[in-house]
């Protein structure tokens, strides 16, 4: 399989270092408010990555980390800790805030039917190891101490600018007040922050004789070292992480342990809404709950995400979400077609019938019927090509699938198509038969009444030239 590696800026063949285990690390959410749909987009893309690796028969060891300390409101080590901000806003302790939003994040994660990581870590469970890492960096001459923390001296790590292709001279010239003026270089970053006596930072640990807390980037280096060991095979995150967070992770880890941190780096692009950045001031910070209120399930959103590519900036609109929802329902109704009652006078081998159904569902007419393995292999070929789910989706639209094929589709995309499309109960099948009888008797009042009753049960009847076909209502 091939993946785009930010490290080399190329699409490269992916092979894990150890063929028995693909080691993957995902920087997770900062748990201080409800995640918005842009945040969840990244976990959907990585879900596709995990499912594709599984389909390639790789065994996976994946950590998803949760940031519950040290992520400040500015990436330049300034501003308030986001968790402390959440606690003040909601009049709760930081620990309560973390607890609440971890649960909230995981509820959304599960509603999207995303593969569970092998381990979910919490930054605050690794403070001891954080301190050891800072000690090691200090021993190796990479840090210096200022009034407000211990800083990494980026000038001592000669490859610092490479990963993000940073122009450090320009950064130096552009340095403004948001940078701690005492830092030796604007790109230097805190590996440990001290808490001033007048500061009310509730999460605190003693180090170097003072209360403090780890810098945001440190947790990822520490957890990867403790749980997976360098080098890992794939590190994932959003493109916003390239110039600061991931650059700093690489500097810390590679300076401390003298090995590459990760062999592949995958970054997903951003979701915009109606062409705008997702932001509070624009009032477009939609959550999965907001989508539900407008009649869209989390899986409709997953469908929309998977229609595009993780490296493209994607513009979200409710019209496009509605189209994705229709496409998902269309796929479900193609599964429903496989359950139609064989005792009714319709003939499933007839192309006319299938054409009629496809037309009634607005689908592209299936153009070929591949054998099971051929279909699975062709799907995987698209996904192996740097996760091209859009091409895989076209193949699904244009192929005639068996239930076994749909099972593969569910395994690869986690869209719950089969589970969400149960066969209808016998009582409803009886109603369909009664309606057919009424129509044969020209008792159209009864036929209409039954159609209405079926609709109340979320079932629509299409009368095709060869018999009735039921499908789920949108
Ligand atoms: P946070 O919980 O604030 O650390 O955010 C987690 C991650 O979500 C960010 O670092 C980004 O990688 C990702 N993210 C934030 N906004 C968007 C967006 N609009 N589209 C896609 N990903 C986003
Ligand atoms: Zn990270």
């Amino acid at each position: 399989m091939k993946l785009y590696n930010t490290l080399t800026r190329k699409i490269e063949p992916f092979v894990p270092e150890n063929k028995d285990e693909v080691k993957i690390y995902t920087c997770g959410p900062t748990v201080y408010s409800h995640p918005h749909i842009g945040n969840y987009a990244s976990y959907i893309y990585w879900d596709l990555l995990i499912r594709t690796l599984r389909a390639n028969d790789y065994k996976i060891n994946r950590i998803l980390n949760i940031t519950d300390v040290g992520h400040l409101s500015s990436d330049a080590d300034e501003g308030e800790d986001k968790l402390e901000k959440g606690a003040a806003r909601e009049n709760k302790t930081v620990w309560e805030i973390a607890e609440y939003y971890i649960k909230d994040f995981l509820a959304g994660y599960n509603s999207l039917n995303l593969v569970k990581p092998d381990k979910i870590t919490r930054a605050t469970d690794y403070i001891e190891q954080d301190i050891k890492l800072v000690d090691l960096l200090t021993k190796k001459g990479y840090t210096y101490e200022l009034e407000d923390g211990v800083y990494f001296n980026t000038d001592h790590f000669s490859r610092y600018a490479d990963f993000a292709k940073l122009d450090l001279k320009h950064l130096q010239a552009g340095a403004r007040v948001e940078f701690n003026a005492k830092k030796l270089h604007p790109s230097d970053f805190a590996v440990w922050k001290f808490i001033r006596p007048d500061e009310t930072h509730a999460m605190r640990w003693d180090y170097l004789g003072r209360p403090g807390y780890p810098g945001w980037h440190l947790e990822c280096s520490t957890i990867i070292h403790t749980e997976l060991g360098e080098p890992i095979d794939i590190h994932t995150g959003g493109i916003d992480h390239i110039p600061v967070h991931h650059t700093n992770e690489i500097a810390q880890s590679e300076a401390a342990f003298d090995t590459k941190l990760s062999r592949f780096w995958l970054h997903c692009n951003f979701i915009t809404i109606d062409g705008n950045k997702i932001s509070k001031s624009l009032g477009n910070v939609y959550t999965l709950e907001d989508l539900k209120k407008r009649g869209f399930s989390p899986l409709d959103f997953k469908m929309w995400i998977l229609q595009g590519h993780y490296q493209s900036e994607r513009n979200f609109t409710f019209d496009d979400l509605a189209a994705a929802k229709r496409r998902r329902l269309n796929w479900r109704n193609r599964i429903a077609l496989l359950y139609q009652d064989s005792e009714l006078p319709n003939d499933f081998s007839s192309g006319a019938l299938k054409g009629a159904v496809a037309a009634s569902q607005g689908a592209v007419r299936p153009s070929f019927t591949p054998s099971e393995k051929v279909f699975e292999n062709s799907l995987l070929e698209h996904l192996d090509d740097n996760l091209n789910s859009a091409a895989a989706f076209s193949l699904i639209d244009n192929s005639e699938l068996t239930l076994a094929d749909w099972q593969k589709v569910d395994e690869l995309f986690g869209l719950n198509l089969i589970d969400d499309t149960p066969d209808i109960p016998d009582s409803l099948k009886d109603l369909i038969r009664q309606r057919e009888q009424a129509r044969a008797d020209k008792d159209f009042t009864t036929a209409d009444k039954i159609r209405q009753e079926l609709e109340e049960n979320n079932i629509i009847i299409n009368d095709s030239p060869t018999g009735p076909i039921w499908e789920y209502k949108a």
Side-chain angles (χ1 to χ4, degrees):
M1 89 191 254
K2 286 185 290 182
L3 296 170
Y4 182 86
N5 188 355
T6 305
L7 204 54
T8 56
R9 303 290 196 280
K10 280 194 193 102
I11 293 180
E12 295 179 356
F14 173 77
V15 186
E17 184 168 69
N18 171 353
K19 67 173 173 31
D20 297 326
E21 185 184 74
V22 185
K23 297 195 277 186
I24 305 181
Y25 180 85
T26 300
C27 299
T30 306
V31 282
Y32 70 110
S33 63
H34 296 291
H36 57 63
I37 56 174
N39 298 133
Y40 278 118
S42 61
Y43 305 107
I44 296 174
Y45 291 129
W46 310 140
D47 189 61
L48 179 65
L49 169 70
I50 299 295
R51 288 173 187 273
T52 303
L53 287 163
R54 282 206 312 207
N56 278 281
D57 292 329
Y58 288 123
K59 198 174 159 292
I60 291 155
N61 186 6
R62 180 192 184 205
I63 306 274
L64 173 69
N65 179 50
I66 287 177
T67 299
D68 59 355
V69 66
H71 192 177
L72 305 187
S73 49
S74 143
D75 273 356
D77 299 320
E78 299 295 318
E80 211 182 341
D81 188 317
K82 292 186 179 186
L83 267 283
E84 302 281 336
K85 218 164 133 178
R89 181 187 66 224
E90 297 182 25
N91 208 10
K92 288 186 180 146
T93 70
V94 273
W95 300 101
E96 285 165 347
I97 286 291
E99 208 60 50
Y100 178 83
Y101 285 109
I102 287 173
K103 276 210 187 99
D104 178 65
F105 167 71
L106 292 177
Y109 191 95
N110 292 333
S111 73
L112 287 161
N113 194 27
L114 305 176
V115 176
K116 285 194 184 31
D118 296 279
K119 187 165 183 172
I120 296 177
T121 56
R122 267 179 81 157
T124 48
D125 288 334
Y126 292 82
I127 303 296
E128 219 175 280
Q129 292 92 329
D130 282 340
I131 288 176
K132 273 194 197 139
L133 178 51
V134 179
D135 278 344
L136 178 59
L137 288 169
T138 300
K139 206 172 98 202
K140 292 181 101 173
Y142 283 104
T143 66
Y144 59 91
E145 201 174 311
L146 292 181
E147 221 173 16
D148 71 336
V150 179
Y151 283 83
F152 186 98
N153 187 338
T154 53
D155 200 39
H156 288 188
F157 185 70
S158 59
R159 301 191 299 281
Y160 185 79
D162 294 357
F163 182 64
K165 305 201 186 307
L166 297 174
D167 176 359
L168 292 179
K169 280 205 188 77
H170 194 253
L171 189 65
Q172 186 89 38
R176 295 278 186 277
V177 278
E178 75 253 30
F179 292 100
N180 178 340
K182 297 211 171 103
K183 286 199 300 192
L184 298 180
H185 319 94
S187 52
D188 293 355
F189 58 93
V191 286
W192 190 266
K193 289 281 281 186
F194 296 129
I195 298 170
R196 289 189 316 267
D198 63 319
E199 246 183 309
T200 56
H201 199 283
M203 285 187 175
R204 49 176 67 206
W205 294 268
D206 272 337
Y207 179 48
L208 302 173
R210 269 164 289 178
Y213 58 95
W216 170 40
H217 322 294
L218 195 68
E219 64 193 49
C220 297
S221 290
T222 295
I223 291 166
I224 289 172
H225 185 66
T226 311
E227 298 293 342
L228 297 169
E230 307 81 5
I232 59 169
D233 294 296
I234 305 176
H235 194 310
T236 68
I239 47 167
D240 56 324
H241 285 157
I242 298 172
V244 180
H245 182 56
H246 288 166
T247 286
N248 292 349
E249 277 185 36
I250 290 172
Q252 291 162 164
S253 290
E254 299 191 1
F257 307 119
D258 301 308
T259 38
K260 198 178 244 190
L261 175 56
S262 181
R263 300 170 55 246
F264 276 73
W265 289 81
L266 263 63
H267 290 99
C268 61
N269 209 319
F270 264 44
I271 305 298
T272 56
I273 298 189
D274 295 324
N276 295 308
K277 197 177 161 223
I278 300 181
S279 85
K280 278 216 178 76
S281 56
L282 292 171
N284 64 4
V285 184
Y286 295 122
T287 62
L288 292 176
E289 277 307 311
D290 294 327
L291 301 193
K292 275 188 214 162
K293 279 182 207 145
R294 294 185 182 219
F296 297 102
S297 79
L299 294 176
D300 295 328
F301 178 66
K302 188 178 195 182
M303 184 85 188
W304 177 73
I305 287 289
L306 293 176
Q307 291 184 160
H309 193 252
Y310 73 98
Q311 288 182 274
S312 308
E313 186 176 285
R314 307 279 309 284
N315 186 42
F316 174 90
T317 65
F318 278 98
D319 283 349
D320 289 347
L321 182 61
K325 177 183 168 148
R326 282 195 300 275
R327 194 180 193 186
R328 182 166 177 273
L329 183 68
N330 169 252
W331 288 4
R332 289 182 49 206
N333 278 330
R334 286 172 57 192
I335 293 171
L337 181 60
L338 298 170
Y339 301 138
Q340 304 292 318
D341 189 343
S342 55
E343 286 161 35
L344 282 169
N346 50 24
D347 166 14
F348 292 106
S349 59
S350 131
L353 171 66
K354 282 167 183 158
V357 174
S360 79
Q361 295 169 344
V364 182
R365 189 75 197 279
S367 53
F368 71 98
T369 311
S371 77
E372 208 168 288
K373 201 68 196 163
V374 171
F375 173 71
E376 183 187 342
N377 288 344
S378 324
L379 269 191
L380 199 52
E381 225 168 85
H382 289 306
L383 298 184
D384 283 350
D385 180 16
N386 196 23
L387 307 180
N388 192 349
S389 45
F393 275 23
S394 293
L395 184 70
I396 296 169
D397 279 337
N398 294 310
S399 311
E400 199 168 296
L401 307 190
T402 63
L403 211 49
D405 293 329
W406 286 112
Q407 240 143 20
K408 282 290 156 208
V409 172
D410 268 343
E411 271 170 40
L412 284 170
F413 303 104
L415 287 165
N416 269 359
L417 296 164
I418 293 178
D419 281 355
D420 283 357
T421 313
D423 194 0
I424 53 173
D426 287 345
S427 57
L428 293 183
K429 285 184 179 166
D430 272 347
L431 275 180
I432 296 174
R433 279 188 212 106
Q434 284 167 30
R435 180 172 167 275
E436 279 314 285
Q437 190 55 55
R439 274 158 49 89
D441 298 345
K442 305 223 178 317
D443 177 0
F444 296 114
T445 319
T446 305
D448 278 353
K449 248 172 65 191
I450 295 177
R451 175 192 280 280
Q452 234 166 25
E453 195 177 338
L454 286 163
E455 266 202 62
E456 280 155 22
N457 284 283
N458 210 25
I459 297 297
I460 291 176
I461 294 291
N462 295 301
D463 292 309
S464 84
T466 48
I469 296 158
W470 63 265
E471 56 181 53
Y472 284 98
K473 202 160 91 177

